[in-house]
Amino acid sequence: EKRDIIVKYSPAKVIAKDEQRSFNGSYLFLQKIYHDLGLQKLCGDIADKYKFTFNLNSILSRLIYGRIIFPSSKLATCQLSKQFIEQPDFELQHIYRALEILAKENDSIQAALYNRSLKVTKRNTGVLYYDCTNYFFEIEQEEGLKQYGVSKEHRPNPVVQMGLFMDGNGIPLAFSISQGNTNEQLTLKPLEEQILSDFNLSRFIVCTDAGLASDKNRKFNNKDERAFITTQSVKKLKDHLKNWSLETTGWHLPGSDRIYDISSIDETVHKDDVFYKERWIKENGLEQKLIVTYSVKYRDYMRQIRSNQVERAHKALESNPDKIGRSSQNDYKRFIEKTHCTSDGEIADKKVYSINDELIAREEAYDGFYAVCTNLEDGAAEIIKVNKRRWEIEECFRIMKSEFKARPVYLSRDDRITAHFITCFISLVIYRLLEKKLNDKYTCREIVDGLRAMNFLEIKGEGYIPTYTRTDFTDDLHEAFGFRTDYQIVSASQMKKIIKSTKK
């Protein structure tokens, strides 16, 4: 293992035609987590159940490694899998047959993945975060799960909706797929009931945003040992609660007995502080605690966003106001007011556009304020701390859409669409576990780019020469997994040992 390897190359010899010489080896780190989760055994159990002959484990693992390292279509993944040191033993037709089987086993796969993950990492199921997003299709026709709905990217394509539960440590727990025209508030209860029955969980707090905070969902989680924390729009509160929320007096800071008036605080001293006030309210037969927070930093952030939007509105008025279309709730075009009559009240020949200063002033009144509702009796500081981690589930969706390129979806059959999101979901679980192994030290982009770059030049009969740059990331990766691939040359026998170690 320590002998020097000397290889002769001739500048007069042409390399062999159609011979692959470069391979990606970063999948070995993902493969270690994949096998730690026992997914190869799960694939074996499914194969025994359905009696098919193709290698489901090889297909599923390659779909997952490909989704993380070089996300692409199923056809491209079939070809790109040949870039891994271990070659695939399946054809494209086997991938589509495997997708059909995976869709049938969706619920059992999610439950098994959760139970097996308990042996790999600690799952914080005391707090569960839930959110919804949608994925668009590169087709025009509605069918099955693909229905025209409200796209969060405002695209005209049919969409499918994904609901996702994440545990308190940021690791995905369960997901569901529904038609794109489904009201997202209706998606929480069915998936939560599945968790209650399949995951043997009964005591947890469900944390959601305001869009999923219907009275029915709150009441559903006001039973047994469950609880809820949900974002509450201050603007949509009843007038007496809204006035109480915006009142400048009666504010507290965690750990202090002093009562503050936020209109007279030293903003330099309290720039990073979060003030709060709380009270119990009874709405539609449900008792819940309303917690309102105020932050100077959050106020300035909201004002900066609005300032940019107003600037865009002014530019739109200067350029071509007649092309200004309909606006959404958070669109800069909402500040553009359109009138059809003169100041005398007569009908004008042309539409008159102007900036709605009154709307800007109304919105400014809410700058810096944020509210949540809960049925918990815990202190406001603890509730706020739990709610703050909702950004991680939003990041899960961003990773799937951006780095994993889970959209657009080109599949047409519902079972294959469901299976596509199964592979995306498992990929996200494995990626999050990889992040944990690296102590959350690197961004998603740094991790994915680092894995994608870990290529090797194969020296026939001798081994593999790393062609990637050794960095802090690669050092930490090797340290976390207990093997190294960054020697000047990794001998063929040593690479076999590494591959074997990732499958234990």
Side-chain angles (χ1 to χ4, degrees), residues 60 80 111 127 141-142 151 168 235 241 372:
L60 179 60
L80 290 169
V127 181
Q141 185 176 352
E142 291 182 308
S151 170
K235 294 178 184 178
L241 294 175
V372 297

Side-chain angles (χ1 to χ4, degrees), residues 3-9 459 462 489:
R3 70 179 177 86
D4 290 338
I5 296 174
I6 301 174
V7 183
K8 291 183 178 181
Y9 288 103
I459 309 300
E462 297 292 351
I489 183 169

Side-chain angles (χ1 to χ4, degrees), residues 4 50 71 93 103 156 212 230 256 278 340 342 378 396 457 475 489:
D4 290 338
Y50 289 92
Q93 59 172 319
L212 292 154
T230 185
S256 172
E278 59 183 330
H340 297 268
T342 65
D378 300 53
C396 283
L457 173 66
D475 279 353
I489 183 169

Side-chain angles (χ1 to χ4, degrees), residues 125-364:
T125 55
V127 181
L128 303 184
Y129 297 85
Y130 183 74
D131 204 353
C132 269
T133 193
N134 48 46
Y135 297 81
F136 67 91
F137 287 74
E138 288 293 357
I139 58 171
E140 296 299 330
Q141 185 176 352
E142 291 182 308
E143 182 183 4
L145 291 171
K146 308 179 296 297
Q147 297 290 327
Y148 285 106
V150 180
S151 170
K152 299 192 177 183
E153 292 84 20
H154 307 292
R155 294 177 179 271
N157 313 69
V159 295
V160 64
Q161 190 162 241
M162 181 184 193
L164 178 70
F165 265 109
M166 178 193 81
D167 73 13
N169 289 336
I171 302 173
L173 183 72
F175 80 96
S176 65
I177 296 296
S178 55
Q179 293 182 343
N181 57 1
T182 304
N183 183 334
E184 65 178 10
Q185 292 188 0
L186 304 177
T187 64
L188 184 145
K189 185 178 176 181
L191 185 55
E192 191 173 332
E193 288 176 333
Q194 180 186 328
I195 291 174
L196 289 168
S197 62
D198 295 351
F199 289 49
N200 294 319
L201 298 176
S202 59
R203 185 178 182 179
F204 50 80
I205 303 165
V206 175
C207 192
T208 70
D209 66 10
L212 292 154
S214 66
D215 285 337
K216 287 185 178 179
N217 286 342
R218 296 188 197 196
K219 289 178 180 178
F220 178 68
N221 283 307
N222 193 39
K223 299 176 183 176
D224 304 322
E225 296 182 286
R226 302 194 303 280
F228 66 84
I229 300 174
T230 185
T231 305
Q232 172 65 53
S233 170
V234 177
K235 294 178 184 178
K236 294 181 180 180
L237 287 169
K238 292 181 178 179
D239 288 343
H240 72 284
L241 294 175
K242 189 187 301 181
N243 294 334
W244 172 83
S245 299
L246 300 179
E247 176 61 48
T248 62
T249 57
W251 293 87
H252 303 267
L253 276 178
S256 172
D257 294 329
R258 181 181 169 187
I259 299 177
Y260 293 84
D261 182 335
I262 56 174
S263 65
S264 60
I265 60 172
D266 185 332
E267 294 188 358
T268 303
V269 174
H270 295 289
K271 184 178 180 181
D272 296 321
D273 289 333
V274 177
F275 296 87
Y276 73 91
K277 59 168 61 174
E278 59 183 330
R279 64 179 288 178
W280 284 91
I281 62 176
K282 190 170 184 178
E283 297 288 319
N284 300 317
L286 177 65
E287 286 192 4
Q288 49 193 319
K289 184 193 292 184
L290 172 63
I291 301 172
V292 183
T293 64
Y294 177 80
S295 163
V296 173
K297 184 179 287 187
Y298 185 47
R299 181 203 65 187
D300 294 344
Y301 168 73
M302 295 176 73
R303 286 181 178 176
Q304 182 60 50
I305 290 177
R306 186 181 303 102
S307 175
N308 293 339
Q309 290 178 331
V310 171
E311 185 178 347
R312 290 184 66 189
H314 277 291
K315 288 181 179 178
L317 286 179
E318 293 170 2
S319 57
N320 198 342
D322 289 330
K323 287 191 175 182
I324 297 172
R326 297 169 60 185
S327 65
S328 64
Q329 183 180 356
N330 297 312
D331 196 335
Y332 74 93
K333 289 181 284 189
R334 72 185 184 278
F335 296 123
I336 299 175
E337 189 176 28
K338 180 169 60 176
T339 57
H340 297 268
C341 59
T342 65
S343 58
D344 298 329
E346 297 190 9
I347 298 176
D349 294 333
K350 293 183 179 181
K351 299 172 186 174
V352 179
Y353 297 91
S354 60
I355 297 296
N356 191 336
D357 293 321
E358 185 180 337
L359 175 60
I360 294 173
R362 284 202 307 268
E363 288 195 8
E364 283 181 347

Side-chain angles (χ1 to χ4, degrees), residues 18-54:
D18 296 327
E19 180 183 78
Q20 185 175 349
R21 303 167 71 235
S22 179
F23 297 88
N24 183 282
S26 66
Y27 78 96
L28 293 169
F29 303 98
L30 305 178
Q31 184 162 272
K32 176 61 177 169
I33 299 175
Y34 179 93
H35 279 259
D36 286 345
L37 290 170
L39 288 168
Q40 79 288 359
K41 296 178 182 176
L42 179 60
C43 288
D45 294 340
I46 294 174
D48 292 341
K49 179 179 178 179
Y50 289 92
K51 309 298 182 186
F52 50 75
T53 56
F54 57 85

